[in-house]
């Protein structure tokens, strides 16, 4: 892999210039003649039966052209994976505040809103459950679908990992700790809110431009709920203004609504969300309550972990079965244990709903386990770095799941490197000698992580790319996976350029389009570089065989005699021939100048009952250190520095990797210090960025990042991933630093002013007012 | 989206006239940073916005003798860069620099901050300490009210319908006075004050406090001076002990004013801390000098 020309070298992000110059067109920028504006009637109650739904008054509102409800779909618009518990529009019941009930298309956004207000919708309130601890009470009102296996209908699933018997082992350990940790809901806060534009086709089908992650999911859902064949539904993903896991289920409902309205009105229909509607209607990172027991010997050997937790999925299961599973796999942290069990139970409530969000369960459990690891180190009077180094996973270890780690485990190197970068040992000592009466105190904390790459045992894991050389010699690439701001297009471009030996400027990556790209599964789980990157690699390798053959033919030699210098081909005559001439020659030879590349991930398996197996084919590792200054008299925490070293395998696109790292850390800092999408009796208490606080640039510390490139042999050029894991350890590193500064531990996120100062939350009485008002404004 | 009319006033007389045209509810528009937010979720309470941003005298900061005049449409960015305010009221400049972010500071004005009268408004505590006087104009004539008296409650003032807040005046504080503004927010920018405090004070030749104004923000319903707190300090040598006593008096007076609320447990500790810090800054450290 020596002498790479593009991979691993500084590169300009392929979509940067258009974005910086404001040329990029998002769904909300699209407007076509005859286009209607859509608006949804959304539930103002957290749990209710739809007693009456009469849309005829809406159709009498001037400007209103069409209205749809669940009656306008096949099977009442039921969809959802892995549990089909959702509807494009509510059927019979609503289960959270903000759930769509009917959708109106009109000549103007104002008329659409008037139409929504004119709909007669009588809701009969039902008893609701807001506390996950009571979701499974025998008399708890039913939220989830009927089930026949005897389980409570509000029960989504149980996600275990079992190795030995930690309950017994804990009794043998010199030191044990037991603590409860809690996380709260987090809003994705993507810059672009949800939106979709549907255009009816002359054949009776529909084309949908959808701001989403995974176009084949809504394509397949739309076929199902609209009763259309695959050739009649086309989903195109325009540039997406951020997602972080948030542009799945809710915006598939948007797709269903605009598609049904477009078919009914026989006109294009666009729906875009206001920020308030987005925050009220969209799913969040779910909240989790954890109970962690750890056991270790006095010499610092970690021996046992017993992890139990409850996860609140809210009104719908969405991705929670997968989130909970990923949480279970990562709950014990990146450490060796003799005995380790994890039990996560996931339930329905009427508190909004939880879905995918960067880190996908690992962000939640890491904030618990990495604090517990620090608490154990404290109990052992060991340095947290030393304790982690002694127990962390290394090549040759068997994980608590029973997986032998045979390569690409860079955690020790990450910890050693971040320890040095942060000047950890000097600062730990210095901060320990601060005056006990000082009002402002410094602290430094570390958190480590592992993060399984790609889907793991969630399902089939493969991707397909296409590559083509056009008549003007431009090279185009397609992938079924989306670049929703991550930089994936640049990654594909650099990989293809490297293999084809051509300049990246020659390559264009198309927007994902279900008519031209191949279904490659969902764009989730930080899988794009490995899966799509590998499929691009294979496609380019397939294509270059024809070019090499054409070059040999042109140069009148064997393929092995052909060499490349820059883009040029050189044969025994040593006269360089340009790439364009070789392409022209290949065309004249009648060779196909396009190729597919498909890559399937190595086989893995998971036994859901026994809680053992090989959950992921590779792991990302990393460690972050946060330095804070805490004002004990105001509760204000200033994060002064963050150092982050991650083992992401081979770095393909350095600026992109650092961009992901910094962005992830800002997400993690918000999660640690500010963010709490609080629901009171089912009503979101923050519905805009005036009260839902995310970090500003003024809140971000200096970040020093570094990478350990422990190559993963099956990854493209040895690459693994970075997108999600970059945020995972930030919050616990900050919490550990606060504990180091203050001597007090905050076990419920976020570490806001009141929790830091008083050690507890002060709560204001909640109000449904903002949600109700915001659902009725343009 | 709310529907309303808009008109640009070219002169002060023009603005007063437009605000008082019959049968059309008109309100002044300056930066718009409060109005635009309010009309997203509240029913519209006016028919027309009268834009006063282009009236030259409303955007002026002048000093004549020992009186400083501050136009109602002066933006916070303008104030931060203004040499007069930097010299005579550095804590007011400091307060302005904590408001919102650059975009909000480029638009937001003193007139708007005062007439919106949020309990957490960041320019008010310093204006109250300066005993700033608000100048109002209407077809009936002119009148003047102290800012402290003008604001009667959260989002409530004595400004009458059709009345235009034109400018503020305040006397240059005594020589040797030092001032300080501290704000506690949940983050470093675009942050609403959780609590704030403005203090300005001076000592006489014997080292005794002979001038002191204390006004916290977001602590009680309106920004007001706390006379009992000032009384603790006046005539005393401002040492650690007396500063602590003043800070404790402030907390007592806050609770008398608001009763114990959900946030009191936090605010009583934090208010004491920022009172101590600000008073320490002006009396025992090198607080920002006035003059």
């Amino acid at each position: 892999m020596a002498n790479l020309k593009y991979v691993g070298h500084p590169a300009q992000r392929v979509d940067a210039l258009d974005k910086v110059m404001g040329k990029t067109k998002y769904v909300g920028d699209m407007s076509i003649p005859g286009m209607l504006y859509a608006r949804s009637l959304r539930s103002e109650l957290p749990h209710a039966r739809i007693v009456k739904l009469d849309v005829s008054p809406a159709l009498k509102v001037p400007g209103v052209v069409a209205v749809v409800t669940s009656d306008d779909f096949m099977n009442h618009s039921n969809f959802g994976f892995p549990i089909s518990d959702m509807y494009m529009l509510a059927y019979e019941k609503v289960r959270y505040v903000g759930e769509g009930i009917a959708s109106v298309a009109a000549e103007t956004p104002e008329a659409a809103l008037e139409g929504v207000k004119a709909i007669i919708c009588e809701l009969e309130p039902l008893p609701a459950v807001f506390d996950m601890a009571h979701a499974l009470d025998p008399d708890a009102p039913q939220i989830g679908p009927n089930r026949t296996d005897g389980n409570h209908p509000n029960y989504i699933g149980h996600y275990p990992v079992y190795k030995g018997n930690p309950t017994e082992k804990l009794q043998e350990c010199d030191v044990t700790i037991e603590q409860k940790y809690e996380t709260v809901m987090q809003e994705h806060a993507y810059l672009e809110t949800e939106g979709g534009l549907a255009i009816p086709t002359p054949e009776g089908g529909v084309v949908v431009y959808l701001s989403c992650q995974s176009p084949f999911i809504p394509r397949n859902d739309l076929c199902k709920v609209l009763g259309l064949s695959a050739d009649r539904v086309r989903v195109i993903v325009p540039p997406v203004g951020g997602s972080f896991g948030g542009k799945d289920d809710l915006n598939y409902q948007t797709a269903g609504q605009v598609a049904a309205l477009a078919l009914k009105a026989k006109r294009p229909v666009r729906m875009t969300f206001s920020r308030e509607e987005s925050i009220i209607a969209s799913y969040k990172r779910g909240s989790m309550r954890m109970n962690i027991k750890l056991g270790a010997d006095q010499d610092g050997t970690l021996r046992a972990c017993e992890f139990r937790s409850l996860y609140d999925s809210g009104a719908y299961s969405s991705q929670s079965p997968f989130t909970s599973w990923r949480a279970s796999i990562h709950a014990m942290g990146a450490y060796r244990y003799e005995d380790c069990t994890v039990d996560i139970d996931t339930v329905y409530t009427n508190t909004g709903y939880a879905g995918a969000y960067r880190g996908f369960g690992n962000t939640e459990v890491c904030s618990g386990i990495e604090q517990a690891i620090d608490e154990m180190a404290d109990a052992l009077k060991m340095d947290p770095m030393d304790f982690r180094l002694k127990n962390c996973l290394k090549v040759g270890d068997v994980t608590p799941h029973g997986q032998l780690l045979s390569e690409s485990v860079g955690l020790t190197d990450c910890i050693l490197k971040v320890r040095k970068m942060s000047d950890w040992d000097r600062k730990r000592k210095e901060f320990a000698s601060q005056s006990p009466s000082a009002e402002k105190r410094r602290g430094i904390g570390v958190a480590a992580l592992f993060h399984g790459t790609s889907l793991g045992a969630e399902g089939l894991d493969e991707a397909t790319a296409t590559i083509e050389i056009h008549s003007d010699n431009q090279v185009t690439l397609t992938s079924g996976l989306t670049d929703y701001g991550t930089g994936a297009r640049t990654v594909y471009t650099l990989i293809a350029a490297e293999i084809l030996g051509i300049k990246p400027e020659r390559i264009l990556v198309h927007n994902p389009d279900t008519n031209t790209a191949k279904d490659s599964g969902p764009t989730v789980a930080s899988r794009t570089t490995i899966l799509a990157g590998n499929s691009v690699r294979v496609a380019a390798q397939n294509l270059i065989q024809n070019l090499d053959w054409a070059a040999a033919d042109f140069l009148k030699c064997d393929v092995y005699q052909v060499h490349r210098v820059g883009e040029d081909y050189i044969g025994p005559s040593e006269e360089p021939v340009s790439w364009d001439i070789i392409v022209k020659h290949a065309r004249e030879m009648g060779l196909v100048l396009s190729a597919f590349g498909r890559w399937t991930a190595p086989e893995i398996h998971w036994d859901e009952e026994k809680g053992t197996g090989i959950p992921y084919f590779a792991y990302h590792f990393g460690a972050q250190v946060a330095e804070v200054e805490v004002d004990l008299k105001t509760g204000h925490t200033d994060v002064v520095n963050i150092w982050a070293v991650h083992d992401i395998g081979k770095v393909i696109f350095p600026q992109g990797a650092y961009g992901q790292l910094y962005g992830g850390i800002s997400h993690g800092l918000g999660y640690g210090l500010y963010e709490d999408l609080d629901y009171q009796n089912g009503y979101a208490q923050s519905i805009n960025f005036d009260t839902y606080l995310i970090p500003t640039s003024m809140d971000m510390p200096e970040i020093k990042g570094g990478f350990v490139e422990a190559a993963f042999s099956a990854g493209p050029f040895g690459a693994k991933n970075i997108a999600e894991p970059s945020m995972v350890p930030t919050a616990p590193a900050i919490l550990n630093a606060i504990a180091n500064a203050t001597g007090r531990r905050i076990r419920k996120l976020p570490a806001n002013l009141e929790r830091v100062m008083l050690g507890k939350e002060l709560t204001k009485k909640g109000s449904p007012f903002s949600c109700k008002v915001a659902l009725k404004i343009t | 989206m709310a529907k309303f009319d808009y008109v640009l006033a070219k002169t002060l007389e023009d603005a007063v006239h437009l605000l008082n045209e019959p049968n059309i509810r008109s309100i002044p528009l300056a930066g718009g940073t409060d109005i635009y937010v309010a009309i997203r979720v509240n029913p519209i309470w006016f028919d027309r916005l009268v834009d006063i941003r282009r009236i030259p005298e409303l955007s002026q900061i002048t000093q004549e003798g020992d009186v400083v005049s501050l136009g109602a449409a002066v933006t916070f960015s303008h104030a931060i860069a203004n040499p007069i305010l930097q010299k005579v009221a550095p804590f007011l400049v400091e307060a302005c620099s904590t408001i919102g972010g650059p975009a909000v500071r480029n638009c937001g004005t003193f007139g708007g901050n005062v007439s919106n009268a949020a309990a957490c408004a960041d320019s008010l505590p310093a204006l109250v300490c300066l005993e700033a006087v608000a100048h109002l104009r209407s077809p009936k004539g002119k009148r003047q009210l102290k800012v402290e008296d003008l604001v009667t409650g959260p989002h409530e003032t004595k400004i009458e319908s059709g009345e235009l807040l034109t400018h503020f005046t305040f006397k240059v504080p005594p020589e040797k006075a030092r001032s300080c503004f501290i704000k506690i927010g949940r983050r470093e920018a675009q942050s609403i004050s959780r609590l704030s405090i403005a203090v300005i004070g001076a000592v006489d030749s014997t080292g005794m406090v002979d001038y002191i104004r204390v006004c916290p923000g977001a602590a009680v319903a309106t920004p007001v001076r706390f006379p009992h707190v000032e009384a603790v300090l006046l005539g005393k040598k401002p040492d650690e002990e007396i500063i602590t006593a003043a800070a404790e008096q402030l907390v007592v007076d806050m609770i008398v004013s608001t009763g114990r609320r959900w946030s009191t447990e936090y605010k009583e500790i934090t208010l004491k801390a920022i009172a101590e810090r600000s008073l320490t800054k002006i009396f025992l450290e090198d607080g920002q000098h006035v003059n």
Side-chain angles (χ1 to χ4, degrees), chain A residues 161 290 292 305 307 326-333 337 340-344 362 365-366 368-370 401 450:
Chain A
V161 174
M290 298 168 253
I292 302 176
C305 171
F307 181 106
R326 182 178 280 271
S328 75
I329 302 302
H330 296 88
M332 73 298 289
Y337 297 93
C340 170
T341 58
V342 177
D343 291 277
I344 296 178
N362 194 13
V365 295
C366 188
I369 189 68
E370 282 299 308
H401 324 89
F450 73 138

Side-chain angles (χ1 to χ4, degrees), chain B residues 57-262:
Chain B
E57 53 264 53
L58 294 192
S59 297
Q60 284 173 2
I61 303 169
T62 57
Q63 183 177 353
E64 279 181 42
D66 65 347
V67 176
V68 174
S69 174
L70 179 64
V74 169
T75 66
F76 302 121
S77 293
H78 179 183
I80 292 164
N82 181 265
I84 297 172
L85 293 183
Q86 286 170 354
K87 184 159 183 292
V88 307
F91 69 151
L92 180 62
V93 170
E94 179 64 29
C96 292
S97 69
T98 70
I99 294 172
V104 167
R105 293 196 290 270
N106 286 343
C107 296
T109 65
F110 287 97
N113 209 217
V114 170
S115 53
N116 185 56
C120 55
D122 286 320
S123 75
L124 267 70
L127 287 175
V128 167
C129 285
L130 291 164
E131 298 170 86
V133 173
H135 294 249
L136 301 153
R137 189 186 284 202
S138 73
K140 286 183 269 178
K142 297 177 181 175
R143 64 182 184 125
Q144 300 177 5
L145 274 171
K146 274 183 158 183
V147 169
E148 182 168 352
D149 300 329
L150 183 77
V151 178
T152 54
H155 302 290
E156 283 172 17
T157 69
K158 288 183 182 162
I159 303 173
E160 288 171 9
S161 169
E163 210 170 21
L164 180 65
L165 174 56
T166 57
H167 64 289
F168 303 93
T169 53
F170 62 86
K171 280 179 74 175
V172 174
E175 270 187 65
K176 292 182 185 169
R178 293 168 171 191
S179 67
C180 179
F181 176 81
I182 296 177
K183 168 173 171 172
I184 304 300
R186 292 193 181 274
R187 61 182 175 190
E188 299 293 334
Q190 301 289 16
S191 182
I192 293 164
S193 276
R194 193 79 184 81
L195 265 180
S196 68
I197 193 165
V199 296
I200 183 166
V203 290
D204 63 17
S205 54
T206 63
M208 301 300 166
V209 175
D210 66 348
Y211 175 81
I212 179 71
R213 308 282 183 266
V214 176
C215 178
V220 297
T222 64
V224 289
R225 286 171 57 189
F226 278 63
H228 297 318
V229 178
E230 295 174 3
V232 170
L233 291 156
L234 270 176
K236 306 273 175 42
K237 189 176 184 314
D239 55 15
E240 263 183 56
E241 197 181 331
I242 212 78
I243 285 173
T244 299
E248 283 168 355
Q249 183 68 46
L250 181 59
V251 172
V252 169
D253 290 355
M254 172 184 76
I255 295 171
V256 167
S257 173
T258 62
R260 287 199 76 85
R261 298 156 58 105
W262 69 274

Side-chain angles (χ1 to χ4, degrees), chain A residues 380-396:
Chain A
L380 292 166
K381 298 188 169 36
M382 265 183 91
D383 180 277
M385 289 276 190
D386 291 336
F387 184 55
R388 283 176 173 82
L389 283 167
K390 186 174 174 74
N391 294 288
C392 73
L393 295 170
K394 299 175 175 67
V395 169

Side-chain angles (χ1 to χ4, degrees), chain A residues 2 74 489 579 692:
Chain A
M74 310 289 286
R489 283 158 183 269
W579 185 77
Y692 187 80

